[in-house]
Amino acid sequence: MAVDSVTSSPLGPPATEKDAKVLQFIEETTKNTDAEQERVLSEILSQNAETEYLKRFGLNGATDRDTFKSKIPVVTYEDLQPEIQRIANGDHSPILSSHPISEFLTSSGTSAGERKLMPTIHEELDRRTLLYSLLQPVMNLYVPNLDKGKGLYFLFIKAETKTPGGLVARPVLTSYYKSEHFKTRPYDPYNVYTSPNEAILCSDSFQSMYTQMLCGLLMRKQVLRVGAVFASGLLRAIRFLQLNWQQLADDITTGILNPKITDASIRETMAGILKPDAELAEFITKECEGENWEGIIPRIWPNTKYLDVIVTGAMAQYIPTLDYYSNSLPKACTMYASSECYFGLNLKPMCDPSEVSYTIMPMMGYFEFIPHDPSAPPLSKKSPPRLVELADLEVGKEYELVISTYAGLCRYRVGDILQVTGFHNAAPQFRFVRRKNVLLSIDADKTDEAELQKAIDNATELLREFNTSVVEYTSYADTKTFPGHYVIYWELLVKDSAISAPSHEVLDRCCLAMEESLNSVYRQCRVADNSIGPLEIRVVKSGTFEELMDYAISRGASINQYKAPRCVNFSPIMELLDSRVESVHFSPALPHWTPERRR
């Protein structure tokens, strides 16, 4: 029941008094966007006034916007790498932050193929937890009675490492799940999970997934929402059920946990949850043994009101598959965040995925924006970009996000391209357009053009002895298979007919050579997470890319400016390419990956 209208919010009638306070906080914060941003910047600069970085640029304790903008440069990760490496190597002096760096949060790869290391401080956990606390009161405006059941969320920790200086380096969600903020979170009837903490915190991905799926099946009638962080993660869970339903049903029949689950804390927890239930096991067998998996989510979890997954950006490619498995249940995209900073939330979480807009919450960091014009020439170091304040953005325009954080990042280019769709009070709302320069993405991986080119170059070394070269290539992320995988189209030129062309085996090895060249995030997804399948090369007939150019010109492209696209997703082009395929090749083995960072 909604609380009394006295506490009602412009966002809608809150479900509880606690929700009313949260919604009021959102209203007040977004009404005072510019003043809030001034306050945040002043706090960041005051807190970090004595750092080496701010002193280097002669800030001299100033905390105002004008001085900050005139003295502090806009930077990329590569610009900050020397400072970050010093911290990683054990330098405890206040380099970027006056507060001790508590750990590194790992982000997607650098041009050298290694993960980015984002320094963070303890108080950032409080800020991230604050943003999480805003999500449920907003969702309660749209979906009633979520306190009457549970959420089946597939949540996982990933491998973590230590830097030479002894600091932990791990993904932001692993950091959060392992924190006391998550492990000892107070009971909230609107946020009860089917998955026990022991399963979420198990580092063995099979044992973790098996236990979380088993608990979801045991509590199937209590489940009101099904989710994962990304759409790809939820599809991975469905695939897991397809492969393991018989073992899961056996456990439910006997009330005895599969001996493959060896984690002692999981076994102890499941002893109090798993009881024999022949009727449930029979139901699961009946639903899963056939060929038809359409609508499997509402068939097994009949009270599911929505899917809670990110389906914006690269994840939009999974929407048709999610619709197939869920009978087109609503898909809620609730928040926008990265390793560098948590940014904001979707105030209309039940909207269509194509209409998702995130409202930046101005207390999370200091935000600036570079107007983004894809047709403009790249800016040189001598002509720095013109940056726009959060409160001064224009609806319809695209911008690249630049952030300054309490942990010490100053005027840092995140690489996200956003389009302003409107305002909530004085706070802009954004559609996530894309990650700058990313061509291919299946899961957490992000492969840009330079990296793809490097992988092609390394693989083509294997063709040299056959006097063969790659004339042209393009690619796409195939998500119709599961797990999804990279598909690379090659047009080859055999320069000497007296030498035999490369064999099928050699071209298979080219697939693996490409994978070995891709970044550690891609390789972890392949090896440890099993969320990306073997890379595929499709060799097309000679002249295929000329046909591609002819097609593009027939649709209005300039013959003088035409360049073969390095990534394709337009159906007619893909149909043309596939109709010209002469041979198909897959990576014959897993690429090398270990959790240890290269030094």
Side-chain angles (χ1 to χ4, degrees):
M1 288 290 292
V3 298
D4 190 274
S5 60
V6 173
T7 57
S8 191
S9 160
L11 289 166
T16 66
E17 287 286 356
K18 182 181 168 190
D19 283 9
K21 289 177 182 174
V22 170
L23 299 178
Q24 184 182 359
F25 171 79
I26 292 171
E27 284 300 296
E28 289 172 357
T29 307
T30 55
K31 278 178 183 170
N32 302 304
T33 296
D34 202 46
E36 185 69 7
Q37 281 284 276
E38 270 197 301
R39 180 192 68 78
V40 167
L41 179 63
S42 178
E43 276 188 5
I44 289 171
L45 297 179
S46 297
Q47 180 174 300
N48 295 321
E50 295 303 310
T51 58
E52 179 187 312
Y53 190 79
L54 292 184
K55 282 182 171 180
R56 181 186 307 163
F57 295 106
L59 211 59
N60 298 324
T63 61
D64 62 287
R65 276 177 176 168
D66 290 343
T67 308
F68 173 72
K69 290 186 165 202
S70 67
K71 292 184 179 288
I72 305 298
V74 176
V75 295
T76 63
Y77 184 79
E78 283 67 28
D79 296 323
L80 294 178
Q81 248 181 321
E83 286 76 19
I84 288 170
Q85 199 57 55
R86 281 172 56 201
I87 298 167
N89 289 341
D91 189 333
H92 296 296
S93 58
I95 299 171
L96 297 175
S97 167
S98 61
H99 288 203
I101 300 301
S102 55
E103 62 181 316
F104 284 105
L105 303 176
T106 54
S107 186
S108 49
T110 66
S111 55
E114 290 303 305
R115 286 180 182 271
K116 293 177 185 173
L117 291 176
M118 292 297 162
T120 191
I121 57 179
H122 276 300
E123 75 170 66
E124 282 293 287
L125 260 173
D126 297 330
R127 206 164 278 108
R128 289 192 282 274
T129 303
L130 169 61
L131 191 65
Y132 281 127
S133 75
L134 308 182
L135 304 181
Q136 198 58 52
V138 172
M139 184 58 77
N140 291 343
L141 296 171
Y142 294 89
V143 185
N145 302 319
L146 288 173
D147 57 333
K148 304 295 190 288
K150 299 184 178 185
L152 168 52
Y153 284 89
F154 296 97
L155 307 175
F156 303 93
I157 60 168
K158 295 204 173 186
E160 59 183 54
T161 60
K162 285 206 169 175
T163 66
L167 284 170
V168 172
R170 55 193 177 188
V172 64
L173 289 174
T174 298
S175 168
Y176 177 67
Y177 298 148
K178 286 192 163 188
S179 74
E180 294 306 308
H181 290 69
F182 179 79
K183 291 193 289 188
T184 60
R185 61 196 183 277
Y187 175 76
D188 176 356
Y190 288 91
N191 247 327
V192 179
Y193 297 153
T194 55
S195 299
N197 282 0
E198 291 79 3
I200 294 169
L201 295 170
C202 177
S203 58
D204 183 297
S205 60
F206 175 85
Q207 294 187 59
S208 176
M209 177 75 88
Y210 191 95
T211 308
Q212 293 190 58
M213 183 62 77
L214 180 57
C215 289
L217 294 172
L218 291 167
M219 304 174 207
R220 76 180 197 92
K221 289 184 179 174
Q222 298 174 60
V223 170
L224 300 181
R225 49 203 164 149
V226 177
V229 178
F230 293 112
S232 56
L234 182 52
L235 292 177
R236 192 168 140 222
I238 297 301
R239 179 64 178 158
F240 186 90
L241 180 60
Q242 288 178 318
L243 295 173
N244 296 282
W245 64 264
Q246 286 173 299
Q247 295 175 66
L248 291 158
D250 285 347
D251 289 11
I252 294 168
T253 300
T254 61
I256 299 169
L257 187 61
N258 189 325
K260 289 181 184 173
I261 310 305
T262 57
D263 184 285
S265 64
I266 288 181
R267 294 198 72 87
E268 186 180 340
T269 299
M270 291 307 293
I273 297 172
L274 180 59
K275 300 289 184 279
D277 188 337
E279 188 181 340
L280 174 58
E282 189 180 334
F283 168 81
I284 290 164
T285 301
K286 180 168 158 290
E287 291 297 336
C288 297
E289 67 184 352
E291 294 288 312
N292 180 21
W293 278 65
E294 185 173 0
I296 194 68
I297 292 174
R299 277 159 48 191
I300 290 183
W301 297 283
N303 300 313
T304 306
K305 296 170 184 272
Y306 64 92
L307 306 180
D308 192 343
V309 284
I310 293 171
V311 286
T312 51
M315 291 295 129
Q317 62 194 323
Y318 295 108
I319 291 172
T321 315
L322 284 175
D323 284 344
Y324 173 79
Y325 287 130
S326 73
N327 285 345
S328 299
L329 277 168
K331 288 161 283 294
C333 294
T334 56
M335 67 183 287
Y336 170 39
S338 75
S339 302
E340 297 90 340
C341 182
Y342 278 24
F343 305 115
L345 68 161
N346 181 4
L347 294 177
K348 295 181 178 175
M350 298 301 281
C351 69
D352 186 88
S354 63
E355 296 171 0
V356 169
S357 286
Y358 299 104
T359 302
I360 298 277
M361 296 306 291
M363 75 288 184
M364 297 304 295
Y366 181 66
F367 305 111
E368 298 174 272
F369 298 84
I370 302 171
H372 178 68
D373 179 359
S375 61
L379 290 158
S380 70
K381 289 271 186 185
K382 292 179 182 175
S383 57
R386 176 181 67 86
L387 271 65
V388 183
E389 297 289 344
L390 184 63
D392 297 333
L393 302 178
E394 295 178 52
V395 173
K397 296 234 174 126
E398 289 187 6
Y399 299 89
E400 182 188 342
L401 178 59
V402 175
I403 61 167
S404 299
T405 69
Y406 287 87
L409 293 179
C410 278
R411 309 197 90 187
Y412 175 83
R413 297 176 77 155
V414 175
D416 288 0
I417 305 299
L418 310 173
Q419 183 183 47
V420 182
T421 56
F423 284 81
H424 180 75
N425 295 323
Q429 297 179 300
F430 296 96
R431 179 175 72 87
F432 180 88
V433 178
R434 60 185 171 85
R435 187 81 173 168
K436 196 177 179 189
N437 301 327
V438 169
L439 286 185
L440 297 170
S441 179
I442 296 286
D443 190 52
D445 56 304
K446 296 178 179 69
T447 299
D448 64 22
E449 186 169 339
E451 193 175 5
L452 183 61
Q453 182 65 57
K454 180 182 157 200
I456 298 274
D457 292 343
N458 289 345
T460 53
E461 288 293 312
L462 297 173
L463 304 179
R464 278 194 174 187
E465 64 180 284
F466 303 96
N467 210 1
T468 297
S469 62
V470 176
V471 178
E472 199 56 274
Y473 72 90
T474 190
S475 64
Y476 86 99
D478 183 357
T479 56
K480 291 188 176 66
T481 61
F482 202 83
H485 69 294
Y486 289 7
V487 176
I488 316 296
Y489 293 96
W490 275 8
E491 185 174 321
L492 299 178
L493 175 63
V494 181
K495 297 171 188 170
D496 186 349
S497 56
I499 300 174
S500 61
S503 67
H504 200 286
E505 182 195 4
V506 168
L507 289 164
D508 285 352
R509 280 169 42 219
C510 286
C511 297
L512 181 57
M514 283 194 68
E515 291 198 301
E516 292 285 10
S517 304
L518 295 174
N519 63 58
S520 62
V521 182
Y522 172 90
R523 287 180 282 116
Q524 178 175 345
C525 288
R526 274 279 281 129
V527 176
D529 302 340
N530 300 313
S531 57
I532 298 179
L535 183 142
E536 176 184 1
I537 290 174
R538 297 178 188 174
V539 178
V540 296
K541 291 176 184 173
S542 178
T544 297
F545 278 83
E546 278 189 43
E547 290 183 60
L548 204 62
M549 181 175 74
D550 292 341
Y551 177 78
I553 291 166
S554 76
R555 288 174 54 85
S558 162
I559 191 166
N560 294 319
Q561 294 179 296
Y562 175 80
K563 289 190 297 185
R566 289 299 175 231
C567 183
V568 293
N569 53 21
F570 184 50
S571 293
I573 290 179
M574 291 163 72
E575 286 166 13
L576 188 157
L577 287 164
D578 283 333
S579 70
R580 304 293 187 272
V581 170
E582 289 186 315
S583 62
V584 173
H585 310 272
F586 288 92
S587 188
L590 291 168
H592 175 75
W593 177 82
T594 58
E596 287 75 34
R597 283 185 55 80
R598 294 178 198 159
R599 300 194 181 183

